[in-house]
Amino acid sequence: MILINLLPHREIARKRRKDIFNVSLGIAALVGGVIAGLAFLWIHGQTTAQQDRNQLLSTEIKKFDAQITDIAGLEAEIAALKARQQAVEDLQSDRNMPVYLLTELVTQLPEGVYVTNVAQVGQNVTMKGVAQSNERVSELLRNLGGRSAWFAKPELVEIVAGSMALSARDQRRVSNFTVRVKLVRASEASKVASVGAGKPVSAVSSPAAK
């Protein structure tokens, strides 16, 4: 007996394939949606975690900034205290500077040089005097610049030739000079030069007294 299928099998097969395609498409869309949702949740979680870390870092940075500000304030206070301490030490040292000046000047004055006037303003000292020759003035400048720890930067302001009457018949040629020098503080001097037997210095010294 021969069986003949009179149903539209091609249409049925096409419909079956279409249904399978639609189901597959729906499953793929569902899987894609799940994957997209999971990816979104993961990205959101990572973003939230990173924001939390950033917030923590910001908080810690603010703490460190406050500590740095405190440290800077302490350093400024320490520097101010050191400056005040140095100022007090300089004031105490400056009280004895005239003594150092006169004592050291006696030591460094060469023969034939007489100081007639000494004026001190702060650490700057201006000396006026009389010398037997220009060479004596040069020797004085060398002594003040190289042989003394208490004097620095000697400078010849002026030197003028003149004469001095030792008696009615005795006239002597002399060099009137003005010298400027810096007096070094005790805190800056490496050591005090040894004081030897020198010639007395006063505001009224005179060649005639020698």
Side-chain angles (χ1 to χ4, degrees):
M1 178 175 174
I2 299 175
L3 298 176
I4 299 174
N5 186 6
L6 300 177
L7 296 174
H9 61 88
R10 290 188 180 88
E11 288 77 5
I12 295 174
R14 189 180 298 111
K15 184 177 182 300
R16 184 181 299 114
R17 288 195 299 270
K18 186 177 181 181
D19 293 339
I20 293 173
F21 174 78
N22 291 333
V23 172
S24 301
L25 185 61
I27 293 174
L30 179 61
V31 172
V34 172
I35 293 174
L38 293 176
F40 172 78
L41 292 176
W42 182 81
I43 293 173
H44 180 71
Q46 292 295 319
T47 302
T48 303
Q50 185 62 43
Q51 289 176 348
D52 293 339
R53 287 194 292 269
N54 292 342
Q55 183 64 34
L56 178 62
L57 289 175
S58 298
T59 303
E60 294 298 325
I61 289 173
K62 289 180 180 179
K63 292 181 180 179
F64 284 129
D65 288 341
Q67 293 176 359
I68 291 173
T69 302
D70 293 339
I71 292 174
L74 290 175
E75 291 178 348
E77 291 179 4
I78 291 173
L81 288 174
K82 288 182 178 180
R84 286 196 291 269
Q85 180 182 1
Q86 186 64 42
V88 171
E89 292 176 356
D90 290 340
L91 287 175
Q92 292 177 348
S93 175
D94 290 347
R95 294 174 59 185
N96 298 323
M97 286 180 70
V99 178
Y100 299 145
L101 168 63
L102 296 177
T103 302
E104 191 68 11
L105 189 58
V106 168
T107 305
Q108 301 304 331
L109 276 181
E111 294 287 343
V113 177
Y114 305 90
V115 175
T116 59
N117 182 272
V118 177
Q120 179 185 353
V121 179
Q123 291 180 256
N124 297 316
V125 178
T126 301
M127 293 181 292
K128 295 182 179 181
V130 179
Q132 292 178 353
S133 64
N134 293 347
E135 288 74 15
R136 299 293 187 180
V137 179
S138 298
E139 184 179 356
L140 172 63
L141 292 174
R142 287 193 298 270
N143 291 349
L144 295 178
R147 293 182 53 187
S148 174
W150 294 98
F151 294 117
K153 300 179 180 180
E155 176 187 0
L156 178 62
V157 178
E158 66 174 358
I159 184 168
V160 179
S163 62
M164 178 172 290
L166 300 181
S167 64
R169 298 181 179 180
D170 188 3
Q171 297 285 333
R172 178 174 299 182
R173 294 182 61 83
V174 294
S175 297
N176 300 305
F177 65 87
T178 301
V179 173
R180 185 182 298 115
V181 67
K182 179 182 177 182
L183 184 60
V184 180
R185 287 191 171 99
S187 59
E188 302 171 357
S190 58
K191 61 181 180 179
V192 178
S194 59
V195 179
K199 295 168 284 301
V201 178
S202 67
V204 292
S205 296
S206 170
K210 183 172 176 61

